[in-house]
Amino acid sequence: MSTTTLGTTAKSLVLESLHKRYESRGREPFHAVKGIDLHIEPGELVALLGPSGCGKTTTLRMIAGLETVTSGDIRIGDRSIPDLPPGKRDVGVGFESYALYPPLDVRGNLTYGLRARGVKDADTRVRAIAERLEMTDLLGLRPAGLSSGQKQRVALARALVRNPPVLLLDEPLSHLDAAQRQRVRRELKVLQREFGYTTIVVTHDQLEALSLADRLAVMDAGIIQQFGTADEIFDDPANRFVADFVGEPKINLAEGVVERTGVVRVGRDGALATASRAPAGTAVTVGVRPQDARVAVGEEPSVPGEVVVYEDLLEFGLATVRVEGLDASLVVQTPADVRWRRGDAVRLAAPPQRVYLFEPEGGARLR
Amino acid sequence: MASVSIDHVSKTYGSGSSAVRALEDVDLSIEDGEFFVVLGPSGAGKTTLLKSVAGLVEVEAGDVRIDGTSMEGVEPYHRNVAMAFESYALYPQKTVFDNLASPLRSGRTGRYSAEQQRQRIEAVTTTLGIDHLLKRFPRELSNGQRQRVALGRVLVRPADVYLLDEPLSHLDAKLRAAMRAELKQLGEMSRTTSLYVTHDYQEALALGDRIAVLRSGRVVQVGTPEQIWREPVDTFVAKALGQPEINLFEVEASGDRLRGAGGALELPAPAHLELPGGRARVGVRPRDLALGAPGGADALHLRGRVVLAERLGRLMEFSVRVGGQDGGEDVIVVADSDAGAREGELVDLHLPLTNVHVFAAGPAGEETVRLGGAAR
Amino acid sequence: MLRERGPEVALARELTPGQKRVTPASVVADLAILAWFVFSLFPLVWMVLLALKNDADQTSTYFRFSPTTANFGTVLSQRGQDLTSVDFGQAMLTSVLNCAGAVLVSLVVGIPAAYAAGRWKFKGSEDLMFQMLSFRFAPELMVIVPLFVIYNTLGVFDTKLGMVWVLQLVTMPLVVWILRSYFQDLSPELEQAALLDGYTRRRAFLTVALPLVRPGIAAAALLAFIFAWNNYLFPLILTDSAATTVTVAVTKYLGGGGQAYYNLTAAAALLGALPPLVLALTIQRYLVRGLSFGAVKA
């Protein structure tokens, strides 16, 4: 295997105030993407993460050239691409549905795009990529005879075989079962590093995005809500949407009032220390991740509650705790060596820097 | 309420060359009031097992007994069992209210006046949080809501046994966790004998009083969650529980030590176990491994380079290459996000022998039985 | 770059795959479709025109058209009966009774048969279904002579009962095959749920499965009615005057009494086409499938 047939010169990918509006006669125009600015470094892997309908797939399709750009610019390296047809954009695309050509065998699927471009060493390249992905034994098979994991591999190989400086993957792991997903995810990341493709992965799975990406763009309603590393997104969410969308089990959100700077009241007689500097009297939404909640020690501010459900998952436990004065119960993840029982009275607290405050309206973070 | 015993039940679909063995000599006994979980991958025969108890498939050998009475030749509507189907199976032409009233109106689950029906339905829908949906049709509901209605149709009536077929499988991860907690609460409240089928090991651990692991129509192991987790009967069961999967290494005895992964892994040979041919497989769960300075002499040691560090929420998942560049193996380790290991670093891993599983050696790809723990 | 071009350009670029573009190929395709349309509709138009012509115009080689509705009246009057020795109104009524009878028999027997065929596989079940369909392969001419003899012997020649019986042979396979696929599309778990709710198999069928295939029953009944209505050979041979049907009655105008009345034939044919048309329009809304949507997971 030589680096002349595999690997690429990484290029940066820049999106500048990118918009997409769908207008059709007689209907309300739909503003799917509302001004996206994204600067992706050469060789970086960025995940576009968001719920369905947030505009992430539309963004990907605009980069690929499958959707026209309403306004704004897309640049690969220093080349502006919105006016180029999809085939001339230097992007490889892996589709969620694999989109393999059923009548062609795997080899045919891989060489099809190369031949269309008149690439001379198509067979050498296909062999090299097949060896690297450990799928040489699949080359003679038709897509119909492949398992979903194998189809996934072929679709990935087809996106890679052209050595695109930019790789776009739409929900690449969605059709795999849990064990396969873990393996393919690690593999994908190693490959991407090895070959240096600048990569965008579109996904709705927050765990996949956190684990795979160098940086994540969390999208909602056509806007990037936060762009940052997994650490920043998880530990320092920009707003309530990001805190709520990322993390499993879901973050606990409860109404509260700042009692004095650094302490927020929660429920009828609970309180939590927080690193937020919001002034006394501010009505807020308090967010605490189940993994950050713990039993209070000493005299620190705490929230008293009663365990109504305790699920022992052996690697950890999950407690559902009812708190007087709160509509929703709180979920607390306990370490493996701690066992609670239904009916236990507990006092909960959390590290102050992990007690997030948000504006009740709009959900902006109050730092 | 009643006990359920499944006595040597077998079932084959089709005949001749196209015959598929769905259940093979399944023998289980579920106690009165027990919440019993059947865990297995798709195609293991879980649904067939439930339907055998319900009387919806005819077993070809063996018998099902409910409360000691043989169910042979007993029609489903005489068995007094309630079932939630994986496909929900809600009546599309009926409203949520009428779907829930259906078992109450059949006359076989007791006699209810219109007022009593309304009260029961109200009580159940309030518990499940779907009391605002009573006039809707199934097609107007989200998957999560349909799921609750299907569950409601089970809970609304008295029954000897509840049969629950993957009731959480079509929900997204977050809703599933919330519903699982609700189910746990319901189960603890109603204490009706329940047979619950799932492919999700976390559901099994969280909900089951006992768990049976099913593989290709056979029961591989039955036990409490603790037993199944701590003493999996073979590598199949060990891999079925835990995400990421348990790490398995081929090891060989040399002197009083076991070594594997090109020498990168070593532990004291367990004197209380007989290792055929001096070879074995060692299983280590990703969360049991600790990063840092080597533990004592009676611990398992591993040394390798971090090739990948991935963030999984509050946790980090490290892929550590042990045993050199070529022929090395990747160990998956899960640790807290402030464990501090970086990609490219050399790290030491260790864990107490009590958490090390020793399995029989065998050809690659073949499941082998557990011999015991590395420490007694 | 786009930003500098202004909104008109941005709108013009909204053309996405799937939107219509005018190309020479698309024009040719449109013309071809138009030609086919004219070709297939022309006989119908001709019939309508012919039915509205008077006796003098109908055979003229020039196109002369002074529309009259008198032909319809003639067909339904005593004069029509005198010309053909058949009471056309009576024939219409006979046809309706025959076809309704055949459809009714097919539904009463066919719905349970289709349900059984869709739900249970047993040795030879596929062969049985195929055999039923094979009645439709053989030309009716093949069996018409023995049928004629049998009907005469049994004394059902030229009776409505005899016609219902023979038309049912035409409609039954249709009903069973159409409904079987509807029942197969229905998840068996719906009836299983009903069984566990405490209902017997019969009640599960009647209260759960049957209401859900109503659109299928409507579609099958309509198609069966049309097939029975259009049948010509059986009534031609197996009836005389008492149980004769519209299809036979129409052709009597083509020379039964020595002269062919083309305009009257056309008028009779149009009248004869009315009942199936009216029926199709009235039950159209039941033909929409999708009642079962939402029952089981997508």
Side-chain angles (χ1 to χ4, degrees):
Chain A
M1 190 194 347
S2 67
T3 44
T4 51
T5 52
L6 291 177
T8 185
T9 319
K11 291 185 179 162
S12 66
L13 173 63
V14 177
L15 310 182
E16 248 176 39
S17 45
L18 196 61
H19 282 265
K20 178 67 188 181
R21 283 166 77 94
Y22 292 97
E23 318 211 4
S24 49
R25 224 167 289 144
R27 255 185 290 166
E28 285 281 294
F30 176 58
H31 208 159
V33 175
K34 299 176 188 162
I36 283 189
D37 288 284
L38 209 55
H39 191 111
I40 301 172
E41 301 294 333
E44 196 177 16
L45 197 165
V46 167
L48 291 185
L49 171 68
S52 58
C54 73
K56 57 187 192 299
T57 300
T58 307
T59 305
L60 183 100
R61 291 173 62 84
M62 282 195 281
I63 302 170
L66 301 170
E67 203 82 61
T68 55
V69 170
T70 305
S71 72
D73 194 16
I74 304 171
R75 287 196 304 276
I76 293 178
D78 43 19
R79 196 160 70 124
S80 172
I81 62 168
D83 292 327
L84 300 174
K88 297 220 161 82
R89 290 191 173 200
D90 277 354
V91 296
V93 186
F95 293 100
E96 181 184 2
S97 56
Y98 311 135
L100 302 177
Y101 313 120
L104 300 181
D105 62 8
V106 170
R107 189 191 306 279
N109 266 285
L110 296 184
T111 50
Y112 188 79
L114 295 178
R115 295 204 193 286
R117 284 181 185 75
V119 173
K120 295 264 160 38
D121 59 344
D123 289 320
T124 334
R125 279 212 210 173
V126 166
R127 208 170 313 124
I129 195 82
E131 268 170 30
R132 180 60 193 80
L133 289 178
E134 295 168 21
M135 45 174 272
T136 40
D137 48 333
L138 302 182
L139 286 175
L141 302 177
R142 294 273 166 89
L146 302 178
S147 71
S148 55
Q150 290 168 328
K151 281 184 193 157
Q152 176 57 52
R153 238 163 227 271
V154 176
L156 187 62
R158 194 176 56 177
L160 295 177
V161 75
R162 284 171 40 207
N163 289 335
V166 171
L167 185 60
L168 307 174
L169 300 173
D170 191 6
E171 302 275 1
L173 309 178
S174 59
H175 294 286
L176 306 177
D177 68 36
Q180 277 177 326
R181 192 178 299 202
Q182 299 237 340
R183 213 196 49 241
V184 177
R185 192 188 75 212
R186 285 192 283 266
E187 216 172 70
L188 190 64
K189 188 153 181 173
V190 168
L191 271 176
Q192 189 266 341
R193 293 229 182 123
E194 194 176 315
F195 297 147
Y197 307 111
T198 304
T199 306
I200 290 191
V201 172
V202 159
T203 178
H204 69 279
D205 182 329
Q206 48 95 25
L207 214 58
E208 193 174 304
L210 284 174
S211 56
L212 198 54
D214 297 318
R215 284 192 291 171
L216 297 80
V218 184
M219 286 185 72
D220 187 40
I223 291 171
I224 293 182
Q225 303 287 334
Q226 188 173 3
F227 183 47
T229 63
D231 290 348
E232 289 163 1
I233 299 278
F234 195 85
D235 294 333
D236 197 10
N239 55 39
R240 188 175 57 203
F241 174 82
V242 174
D244 193 31
F245 192 75
V246 178
E248 192 187 312
K250 240 164 130 73
I251 192 169
N252 295 297
L253 293 171
E255 300 313 307
V257 180
V258 178
E259 186 173 85
R260 56 177 196 276
T261 299
V263 176
V264 60
R265 290 211 69 82
V266 179
R268 200 186 61 189
D269 23 47
L272 287 172
T274 173
S276 163
R277 310 311 304 165
T282 319
V284 294
T285 300
V286 186
V288 178
R289 295 198 183 280
Q291 299 92 333
D292 294 327
R294 56 169 172 76
V295 175
V297 283
E299 293 299 299
E300 70 175 320
S302 64
V303 177
E306 183 200 339
V307 177
V308 285
V309 181
Y310 184 72
E311 300 169 87
D312 187 359
L313 298 169
L314 294 157
E315 291 168 313
F316 56 88
L318 282 178
T320 306
V321 177
R322 205 182 51 222
V323 174
E324 208 63 55
L326 287 187
D327 291 341
S329 305
L330 302 182
V331 175
V332 180
Q333 184 168 330
T334 60
D337 47 357
V338 175
R339 296 277 158 84
W340 290 355
R341 276 197 318 272
R342 185 154 59 102
D344 283 357
V346 287
R347 281 175 56 231
L348 303 173
Q353 74 278 13
R354 299 266 164 88
V355 175
Y356 313 118
L357 303 189
F358 306 102
E359 279 177 9
E361 301 288 322
R365 174 93 177 269
L366 297 164
R367 291 180 188 275
Chain B
M1 303 206 192
S3 64
V4 177
S5 79
I6 297 163
D7 299 339
H8 303 282
V9 163
S10 294
K11 171 71 187 172
T12 307
Y13 288 112
S15 59
S17 58
S18 62
V20 180
R21 198 82 166 150
L23 293 177
E24 178 105 46
D25 197 27
V26 172
D27 204 40
L28 294 170
S29 89
I30 297 137
E31 282 160 33
D32 189 1
E34 192 174 23
F35 200 106
F36 193 91
V37 176
V38 176
L39 174 68
S42 62
K46 306 184 298 276
T47 299
T48 306
L49 184 64
L50 278 195
K51 290 194 173 176
S52 311
V53 176
L56 299 173
V57 302
E58 246 172 276
V59 302
E60 65 197 34
D63 191 12
V64 172
R65 282 182 290 134
I66 296 179
D67 214 9
T69 313
S70 168
M71 288 292 122
E72 203 178 325
V74 177
E75 290 283 0
Y77 43 86
H78 285 136
R79 296 194 179 198
N80 199 22
V81 300
M83 177 162 172
F85 292 82
E86 188 188 355
S87 64
Y88 317 136
L90 301 178
Y91 310 123
Q93 78 276 32
K94 294 182 179 173
T95 61
V96 168
F97 184 91
D98 287 336
N99 263 283
L100 294 171
S102 168
L104 302 177
R105 287 173 182 161
S106 72
R108 279 200 178 75
T109 60
R111 301 252 162 232
Y112 305 92
S113 67
E115 179 57 23
Q116 285 168 322
Q117 288 178 16
R118 206 185 49 74
Q119 279 171 1
R120 285 190 89 101
I121 290 169
E122 218 159 71
V124 163
T125 50
T126 309
T127 315
L128 292 171
I130 49 170
D131 45 337
H132 58 298
L133 304 174
L134 290 176
K135 293 200 176 90
R136 302 253 193 107
F137 285 93
R139 62 175 175 275
E140 300 165 338
L141 304 178
S142 71
N143 269 351
Q145 292 167 336
R146 287 178 200 164
Q147 187 68 74
R148 285 159 194 251
V149 177
L151 218 49
R153 198 169 57 185
V154 169
L155 300 176
V156 76
R157 55 174 288 194
D160 287 339
V161 184
Y162 289 157
L163 305 171
L164 308 169
D165 190 359
E166 301 260 15
L168 307 183
S169 60
H170 298 297
L171 308 181
D172 69 44
K174 287 169 185 172
L175 193 52
R176 191 157 63 224
M179 278 295 285
R180 195 179 65 205
E182 271 179 50
L183 264 180
K184 173 110 186 158
Q185 202 173 3
L186 285 172
E188 281 168 355
M189 279 178 348
S190 88
R191 277 287 144 205
T192 299
T193 311
S194 302
L195 194 51
Y196 182 103
V197 148
T198 181
H199 70 278
D200 179 332
Y201 79 97
Q202 291 203 335
E203 277 171 34
L205 293 177
L207 297 172
D209 292 325
R210 281 192 301 152
I211 300 170
V213 183
L214 204 63
R215 181 194 183 198
S216 317
R218 284 173 179 278
V219 175
V220 190
Q221 187 173 8
V222 182
T224 63
E226 188 92 19
Q227 283 167 345
I228 303 256
W229 179 259
R230 307 257 177 245
E231 293 168 20
V233 74
D234 63 9
T235 49
F236 174 80
V237 177
K239 282 192 279 188
L241 284 86
Q243 202 58 255
E245 265 179 23
I246 192 167
N247 297 292
L248 289 171
F249 302 95
E250 305 292 334
V251 296
E252 225 165 307
S254 71
D256 61 348
R257 309 289 287 177
L258 290 179
R259 289 179 209 282
L265 173 148
E266 69 160 276
L267 68 159
H272 62 289
L273 297 179
E274 185 138 340
L275 306 181
R279 292 169 55 240
R281 273 180 186 163
V282 162
V284 176
R285 294 201 190 274
R287 290 211 196 201
D288 291 343
L289 280 164
L291 282 161
D298 55 348
L300 174 141
H301 292 281
L302 269 168
R303 192 172 166 75
R305 197 173 289 281
V306 178
V307 287
L308 216 51
E310 296 170 280
R311 178 95 197 218
L312 295 177
R314 180 60 69 227
L315 298 168
M316 292 289 284
E317 187 177 315
F318 300 100
S319 302
V320 180
R321 177 73 45 88
V322 298
Q325 295 306 316
D326 303 318
E329 294 175 58
D330 281 355
V331 189
I332 309 297
V333 185
V334 173
D336 200 79
S337 58
D338 12 277
R342 287 170 195 285
E343 290 181 1
E345 274 180 10
L346 265 179
V347 291
D348 282 300
L349 306 170
H350 64 92
L351 84 166
L353 290 181
T354 42
N355 288 338
V356 177
H357 305 273
V358 181
F359 302 94
E366 203 165 284
E367 310 293 354
T368 54
V369 299
R370 182 175 188 269
L371 301 170
R376 203 187 285 268
Chain C
M1 259 165 282
L2 258 176
R3 246 170 315 156
E4 289 144 29
R5 287 197 202 135
E8 315 82 359
V9 184
L11 275 182
R13 289 173 54 98
E14 285 295 314
L15 213 60
T16 48
Q19 268 180 277
K20 183 98 182 134
R21 283 168 212 258
V22 179
T23 64
S26 74
V27 171
V28 171
D30 288 351
L31 285 177
I33 290 171
L34 193 67
W36 180 85
F37 194 63
V38 170
F39 177 78
S40 57
L41 271 185
F42 186 70
L44 263 177
V45 175
W46 179 280
M47 280 286 286
V48 174
L49 291 179
L50 191 57
L52 296 175
K53 284 183 176 182
N54 58 35
D55 293 355
D57 288 347
Q58 60 159 324
T59 47
S60 164
T61 42
Y62 298 98
F63 183 77
R64 274 187 301 187
F65 190 48
S66 38
T68 167
T69 55
N71 295 329
F72 296 102
T74 309
V75 168
L76 292 174
S77 69
Q78 186 59 39
R79 193 177 151 246
Q81 193 175 342
D82 292 344
L83 287 172
T84 60
S85 74
V86 170
D87 181 346
F88 192 80
Q90 188 59 45
M92 285 274 266
L93 188 63
T94 308
S95 267
V96 169
L97 291 175
N98 286 349
C99 297
V103 169
L104 196 69
V105 170
S106 304
L107 290 181
V108 168
V109 180
I111 291 173
Y115 180 67
R119 276 286 175 265
W120 288 284
K121 282 223 174 292
F122 48 88
K123 212 170 152 63
S125 59
E126 279 304 307
D127 298 336
L128 198 68
M129 285 303 292
F130 187 76
Q131 198 217 339
M132 189 175 273
L133 193 66
S134 68
F135 291 146
R136 306 283 309 135
F137 300 160
E140 287 157 1
L141 273 173
M142 245 174 68
V143 292
I144 199 71
V145 175
L147 266 180
F148 180 77
V149 176
I150 294 169
Y151 266 49
N152 268 318
T153 313
L154 290 180
V156 288
F157 177 78
D158 201 19
T159 62
K160 294 192 182 69
L161 177 70
M163 280 320 292
V164 166
W165 183 249
V166 75
L167 287 177
Q168 164 277 127
L169 284 181
V170 174
T171 55
M172 182 77 77
L174 213 62
V175 166
V176 173
W177 272 80
I178 292 175
L179 287 181
R180 182 172 82 140
S181 73
Y182 273 83
F183 281 120
Q184 279 171 338
D185 285 354
L186 208 62
S187 167
E189 295 199 333
L190 287 175
E191 292 129 77
Q192 295 182 344
L195 290 182
L196 294 176
D197 280 352
Y199 297 98
T200 59
R201 284 173 208 276
R202 200 170 62 88
R203 283 183 70 195
F205 167 70
L206 290 176
T207 59
V208 175
L210 203 57
L212 289 174
V213 296
R214 238 178 330 202
I217 294 175
L222 177 65
L223 265 176
F225 188 88
I226 292 171
F227 269 69
W229 186 270
N230 289 348
N231 195 282
Y232 175 61
L233 191 68
F234 286 135
L236 181 71
I237 306 291
L238 298 179
T239 65
D240 186 13
S241 57
T244 205
T245 65
V246 162
T247 42
V248 177
V250 168
T251 56
K252 300 269 184 188
Y253 287 99
L254 280 174
Q259 196 202 335
Y261 305 96
Y262 295 113
N263 52 351
L264 293 180
T265 312
L270 284 183
L271 285 174
L274 275 181
L277 191 70
V278 170
L279 197 64
L281 290 177
T282 41
I283 65 170
Q284 192 181 15
R285 67 189 185 93
Y286 295 108
L287 297 180
V288 182
R289 284 186 85 160
L291 236 182
S292 80
F293 181 76
V296 288
K297 69 190 177 214

